[in-house]
CSV table of all heavy atoms in Angstrom, one decimal:
chain,number,residue,atom,x,y,z
B,259,GLU,N,13.0,-1.4,-10.9
B,259,GLU,CA,13.2,-1.6,-12.3
B,259,GLU,C,12.4,-2.8,-12.8
B,259,GLU,O,11.8,-2.7,-13.8
B,259,GLU,CB,14.7,-1.7,-12.6
B,259,GLU,CG,14.9,-1.6,-14.1
B,259,GLU,CD,16.4,-1.4,-14.5
B,259,GLU,OE1,17.2,-1.2,-13.6
B,259,GLU,OE2,16.7,-1.5,-15.7
B,260,GLU,N,12.5,-3.9,-12.0
B,260,GLU,CA,11.7,-5.1,-12.4
B,260,GLU,C,10.2,-4.8,-12.4
B,260,GLU,O,9.5,-5.3,-13.3
B,260,GLU,CB,12.1,-6.2,-11.5
B,260,GLU,CG,13.5,-6.8,-11.7
B,260,GLU,CD,14.0,-7.7,-10.6
B,260,GLU,OE1,13.3,-7.9,-9.6
B,260,GLU,OE2,15.1,-8.3,-10.8
B,261,ALA,N,9.8,-4.1,-11.4
B,261,ALA,CA,8.3,-3.9,-11.3
B,261,ALA,C,7.9,-3.0,-12.4
B,261,ALA,O,6.8,-3.2,-13.0
B,261,ALA,CB,8.0,-3.2,-9.9
B,262,LEU,N,8.6,-2.0,-12.7
B,262,LEU,CA,8.3,-1.1,-13.9
B,262,LEU,C,8.3,-1.9,-15.2
B,262,LEU,O,7.4,-1.7,-16.1
B,262,LEU,CB,9.3,0.1,-13.9
B,262,LEU,CG,9.1,1.1,-12.9
B,262,LEU,CD1,10.3,2.1,-12.9
B,262,LEU,CD2,7.8,1.9,-13.1
B,263,SER,N,9.2,-2.8,-15.3
B,263,SER,CA,9.3,-3.6,-16.5
B,263,SER,C,8.1,-4.4,-16.8
B,263,SER,O,7.6,-4.6,-17.9
B,263,SER,CB,10.5,-4.5,-16.5
B,263,SER,OG,10.6,-5.3,-17.6
B,264,THR,N,7.4,-4.9,-15.7
B,264,THR,CA,6.2,-5.7,-15.9
B,264,THR,C,5.1,-4.8,-16.4
B,264,THR,O,4.1,-5.4,-17.0
B,264,THR,CB,5.7,-6.3,-14.5
B,264,THR,OG1,5.4,-5.3,-13.6
B,264,THR,CG2,6.8,-7.2,-13.9
B,265,GLU,N,5.2,-3.5,-16.3
B,265,GLU,CA,4.2,-2.6,-16.9
B,265,GLU,C,4.7,-1.9,-18.2
B,265,GLU,O,4.1,-1.0,-18.6
B,265,GLU,CB,3.9,-1.5,-15.8
B,265,GLU,CG,3.2,-2.0,-14.6
B,265,GLU,CD,1.8,-2.6,-14.9
B,265,GLU,OE1,1.1,-2.2,-15.9
B,265,GLU,OE2,1.3,-3.4,-14.0
B,266,GLY,N,5.8,-2.4,-18.7
B,266,GLY,CA,6.2,-1.9,-20.0
B,266,GLY,C,7.2,-0.7,-20.0
B,266,GLY,O,7.5,-0.1,-21.0
B,267,PHE,N,7.7,-0.4,-18.8
B,267,PHE,CA,8.6,0.7,-18.6
B,267,PHE,C,10.0,0.3,-18.5
B,267,PHE,O,10.3,-0.8,-18.0
B,267,PHE,CB,8.3,1.5,-17.3
B,267,PHE,CG,7.0,2.2,-17.4
B,267,PHE,CD1,5.8,1.6,-17.0
B,267,PHE,CD2,6.9,3.6,-17.8
B,267,PHE,CE1,4.6,2.2,-17.0
B,267,PHE,CE2,5.6,4.2,-17.8
B,267,PHE,CZ,4.5,3.6,-17.4
B,268,GLY,N,10.9,1.1,-19.1
B,268,GLY,CA,12.3,0.9,-18.9
B,268,GLY,C,12.9,2.2,-18.3
B,268,GLY,O,12.2,3.2,-18.2
B,269,ILE,N,14.1,2.1,-17.9
B,269,ILE,CA,14.8,3.3,-17.3
B,269,ILE,C,15.7,4.0,-18.3
B,269,ILE,O,16.6,3.4,-18.9
B,269,ILE,CB,15.6,2.9,-16.0
B,269,ILE,CG1,14.7,2.2,-15.0
B,269,ILE,CG2,16.3,4.1,-15.4
B,269,ILE,CD1,13.6,3.0,-14.5
B,270,LEU,N,15.3,5.2,-18.6
B,270,LEU,CA,16.1,6.0,-19.6
B,270,LEU,C,17.2,6.7,-18.9
B,270,LEU,O,18.3,6.9,-19.5
B,270,LEU,CB,15.2,7.1,-20.3
B,270,LEU,CG,14.1,6.6,-21.2
B,270,LEU,CD1,13.3,7.8,-21.7
B,270,LEU,CD2,14.7,5.8,-22.3
B,271,THR,N,17.0,7.2,-17.7
B,271,THR,CA,18.0,8.0,-17.0
B,271,THR,C,18.1,7.6,-15.6
B,271,THR,O,17.2,7.2,-15.0
B,271,THR,CB,17.7,9.5,-17.1
B,271,THR,OG1,16.4,9.7,-16.4
B,271,THR,CG2,17.6,10.0,-18.5
B,272,ARG,N,19.3,7.8,-15.0
B,272,ARG,CA,19.6,7.5,-13.6
B,272,ARG,C,20.4,8.7,-13.1
B,272,ARG,O,21.5,9.0,-13.7
B,272,ARG,CB,20.4,6.2,-13.4
B,272,ARG,CG,19.7,5.0,-13.5
B,272,ARG,CD,20.5,3.8,-13.2
B,272,ARG,NE,19.8,2.6,-13.0
B,272,ARG,CZ,19.3,1.9,-14.0
B,272,ARG,NH1,19.5,2.2,-15.2
B,272,ARG,NH2,18.6,0.8,-13.7
B,273,ILE,N,19.9,9.3,-12.1
B,273,ILE,CA,20.7,10.5,-11.5
B,273,ILE,C,21.0,10.1,-10.1
B,273,ILE,O,20.1,9.8,-9.2
B,273,ILE,CB,19.8,11.8,-11.6
B,273,ILE,CG1,19.4,12.1,-13.0
B,273,ILE,CG2,20.6,12.9,-10.9
B,273,ILE,CD1,18.4,13.2,-13.1
B,274,ASP,N,22.3,10.1,-9.8
B,274,ASP,CA,22.8,9.9,-8.4
B,274,ASP,C,22.9,11.3,-7.7
B,274,ASP,O,23.9,12.0,-7.9
B,274,ASP,CB,24.2,9.2,-8.5
B,274,ASP,CG,24.8,9.0,-7.1
B,274,ASP,OD1,24.2,9.4,-6.1
B,274,ASP,OD2,26.0,8.5,-7.1
B,275,VAL,N,21.8,11.6,-7.0
B,275,VAL,CA,21.8,13.0,-6.4
B,275,VAL,C,22.9,13.1,-5.3
B,275,VAL,O,23.6,14.1,-5.3
B,275,VAL,CB,20.4,13.2,-5.8
B,275,VAL,CG1,20.3,14.5,-5.0
B,275,VAL,CG2,19.3,13.2,-6.9
B,276,ALA,N,23.1,12.1,-4.5
B,276,ALA,CA,24.1,12.2,-3.4
B,276,ALA,C,25.5,12.4,-4.0
B,276,ALA,O,26.3,13.2,-3.6
B,276,ALA,CB,24.0,11.0,-2.5
B,277,GLY,N,25.8,11.6,-5.1
B,277,GLY,CA,27.1,11.7,-5.7
B,277,GLY,C,27.3,13.1,-6.4
B,277,GLY,O,28.4,13.7,-6.3
B,278,THR,N,26.2,13.6,-7.0
B,278,THR,CA,26.3,14.9,-7.6
B,278,THR,C,26.5,16.0,-6.6
B,278,THR,O,27.4,16.9,-6.8
B,278,THR,CB,25.1,15.2,-8.5
B,278,THR,OG1,25.0,14.2,-9.5
B,278,THR,CG2,25.1,16.6,-9.1
B,279,LEU,N,25.8,15.9,-5.5
B,279,LEU,CA,25.9,17.0,-4.4
B,279,LEU,C,27.3,16.9,-3.8
B,279,LEU,O,27.9,18.0,-3.5
B,279,LEU,CB,24.8,16.8,-3.4
B,279,LEU,CG,23.4,17.1,-3.8
B,279,LEU,CD1,22.4,16.8,-2.7
B,279,LEU,CD2,23.3,18.5,-4.3
B,280,LYS,N,27.9,15.7,-3.6
B,280,LYS,CA,29.2,15.6,-3.1
B,280,LYS,C,30.2,16.2,-4.1
B,280,LYS,O,31.1,17.0,-3.7
B,280,LYS,CB,29.5,14.1,-2.8
B,280,LYS,CG,30.9,13.9,-2.2
B,280,LYS,CD,30.9,14.5,-0.8
B,280,LYS,CE,32.1,14.2,0.0
B,280,LYS,NZ,32.2,14.9,1.3
B,281,LYS,N,30.1,15.9,-5.3
B,281,LYS,CA,31.0,16.3,-6.3
B,281,LYS,C,31.0,17.8,-6.5
B,281,LYS,O,32.0,18.5,-6.6
B,281,LYS,CB,30.8,15.6,-7.7
B,281,LYS,CG,31.7,16.0,-8.8
B,281,LYS,CD,31.4,15.2,-10.0
B,281,LYS,CE,32.3,15.7,-11.2
B,281,LYS,NZ,32.1,14.9,-12.4
B,282,LYS,N,29.8,18.4,-6.6
B,282,LYS,CA,29.6,19.8,-7.0
B,282,LYS,C,29.7,20.7,-5.8
B,282,LYS,O,30.1,21.9,-5.9
B,282,LYS,CB,28.3,20.0,-7.7
B,282,LYS,CG,28.1,19.2,-9.0
B,282,LYS,CD,29.1,19.8,-10.1
B,282,LYS,CE,28.8,19.1,-11.4
B,282,LYS,NZ,29.7,19.6,-12.4
B,283,LEU,N,29.2,20.2,-4.6
B,283,LEU,CA,29.1,21.1,-3.4
B,283,LEU,C,29.9,20.6,-2.2
B,283,LEU,O,29.9,21.3,-1.2
B,283,LEU,CB,27.6,21.3,-3.0
B,283,LEU,CG,26.6,21.8,-4.1
B,283,LEU,CD1,25.2,21.8,-3.5
B,283,LEU,CD2,27.0,23.2,-4.5
B,284,ASP,N,30.5,19.4,-2.4
B,284,ASP,CA,31.2,18.8,-1.3
B,284,ASP,C,30.3,18.7,0.0
B,284,ASP,O,30.8,19.0,1.1
B,284,ASP,CB,32.5,19.5,-1.0
B,284,ASP,CG,33.4,18.7,-0.1
B,284,ASP,OD1,33.4,17.4,-0.2
B,284,ASP,OD2,34.2,19.3,0.7
B,285,VAL,N,29.0,18.3,-0.2
B,285,VAL,CA,28.2,18.0,0.9
B,285,VAL,C,27.7,16.6,0.9
B,285,VAL,O,27.6,16.0,-0.1
B,285,VAL,CB,26.9,19.0,0.9
B,285,VAL,CG1,27.3,20.4,1.0
B,285,VAL,CG2,26.1,18.7,-0.3
B,286,ASP,N,27.5,16.0,2.1
B,286,ASP,CA,27.1,14.7,2.2
B,286,ASP,C,25.5,14.7,2.3
B,286,ASP,O,24.9,15.6,2.9
B,286,ASP,CB,27.6,14.1,3.5
B,286,ASP,CG,29.1,13.9,3.4
B,286,ASP,OD1,29.6,13.5,2.4
B,286,ASP,OD2,29.8,14.1,4.4
B,287,PHE,N,24.9,13.8,1.6
B,287,PHE,CA,23.5,13.6,1.5
B,287,PHE,C,23.2,12.2,1.5
B,287,PHE,O,24.0,11.4,1.0
B,287,PHE,CB,23.0,14.3,0.2
B,287,PHE,CG,21.5,14.6,0.2
B,287,PHE,CD1,20.9,15.6,1.0
B,287,PHE,CD2,20.7,13.8,-0.6
B,287,PHE,CE1,19.5,15.8,1.0
B,287,PHE,CE2,19.3,14.0,-0.6
B,287,PHE,CZ,18.7,15.0,0.2
B,288,ARG,N,22.0,11.8,2.0
B,288,ARG,CA,21.6,10.4,1.9
B,288,ARG,C,21.6,9.9,0.5
B,288,ARG,O,21.5,10.6,-0.5
B,288,ARG,CB,20.2,10.2,2.5
B,288,ARG,CG,19.1,10.7,1.6
B,288,ARG,CD,17.7,10.5,2.1
B,288,ARG,NE,17.5,11.4,3.2
B,288,ARG,CZ,16.5,11.2,4.2
B,288,ARG,NH1,15.8,10.1,4.1
B,288,ARG,NH2,16.4,12.0,5.1
B,289,GLU,N,21.7,8.5,0.3
B,289,GLU,CA,21.7,7.9,-1.0
B,289,GLU,C,20.3,8.3,-1.6
B,289,GLU,O,19.3,8.0,-0.9
B,289,GLU,CB,21.9,6.4,-0.9
B,289,GLU,CG,23.3,6.0,-0.6
B,289,GLU,CD,24.2,6.3,-1.7
B,289,GLU,OE1,23.8,6.2,-2.9
B,289,GLU,OE2,25.3,6.8,-1.5
B,290,TYR,N,20.3,8.9,-2.7
B,290,TYR,CA,19.1,9.4,-3.3
B,290,TYR,C,19.2,9.3,-4.8
B,290,TYR,O,20.1,9.9,-5.4
B,290,TYR,CB,18.9,10.9,-2.9
B,290,TYR,CG,17.5,11.5,-3.1
B,290,TYR,CD1,16.6,11.7,-2.1
B,290,TYR,CD2,17.1,11.8,-4.4
B,290,TYR,CE1,15.4,12.3,-2.3
B,290,TYR,CE2,15.9,12.4,-4.6
B,290,TYR,CZ,15.0,12.6,-3.6
B,290,TYR,OH,13.8,13.2,-3.8
B,291,ARG,N,18.3,8.6,-5.4
B,291,ARG,CA,18.4,8.4,-6.9
B,291,ARG,C,17.1,8.8,-7.6
B,291,ARG,O,16.0,8.5,-7.1
B,291,ARG,CB,18.8,6.9,-7.2
B,291,ARG,CG,20.1,6.6,-6.6
B,291,ARG,CD,20.4,5.1,-6.7
B,291,ARG,NE,21.6,4.8,-5.9
B,291,ARG,CZ,22.0,3.6,-5.7
B,291,ARG,NH1,21.3,2.5,-6.2
B,291,ARG,NH2,23.1,3.4,-5.0
B,292,ILE,N,17.2,9.4,-8.7
B,292,ILE,CA,16.1,9.7,-9.5
B,292,ILE,C,16.2,8.9,-10.8
B,292,ILE,O,17.2,9.0,-11.5
B,292,ILE,CB,16.1,11.3,-9.9
B,292,ILE,CG1,16.1,12.1,-8.6
B,292,ILE,CG2,14.8,11.6,-10.8
B,292,ILE,CD1,16.3,13.6,-8.9
B,293,LEU,N,15.1,8.2,-11.1
B,293,LEU,CA,15.1,7.3,-12.3
B,293,LEU,C,14.0,7.9,-13.2
B,293,LEU,O,12.9,8.2,-12.8
B,293,LEU,CB,14.7,5.9,-11.9
B,293,LEU,CG,15.4,5.2,-10.7
B,293,LEU,CD1,14.8,3.9,-10.4
B,293,LEU,CD2,16.9,5.1,-11.1
B,294,GLY,N,14.4,8.0,-14.5
B,294,GLY,CA,13.5,8.4,-15.5
B,294,GLY,C,12.9,7.2,-16.2
B,294,GLY,O,13.6,6.6,-17.0
B,295,ALA,N,11.7,6.9,-15.9
B,295,ALA,CA,11.0,5.7,-16.5
B,295,ALA,C,10.2,6.1,-17.7
B,295,ALA,O,9.6,7.2,-17.8
B,295,ALA,CB,10.1,5.1,-15.5
Side-chain angles (χ1 to χ4, degrees):
E259 190 166 355
E260 289 171 352
L262 288 167
S263 178
T264 65
E265 294 293 337
F267 292 87
I269 303 300
L270 294 177
T271 59
R272 284 186 166 78
I273 301 169
D274 174 2
V275 175
T278 300
L279 292 176
K280 184 65 174 174
K281 181 178 178 181
K282 300 292 184 179
L283 302 175
D284 195 28
V285 296
D286 293 320
F287 194 75
R288 74 176 71 203
E289 287 292 322
Y290 193 108
R291 300 172 186 172
I292 303 171
L293 309 176

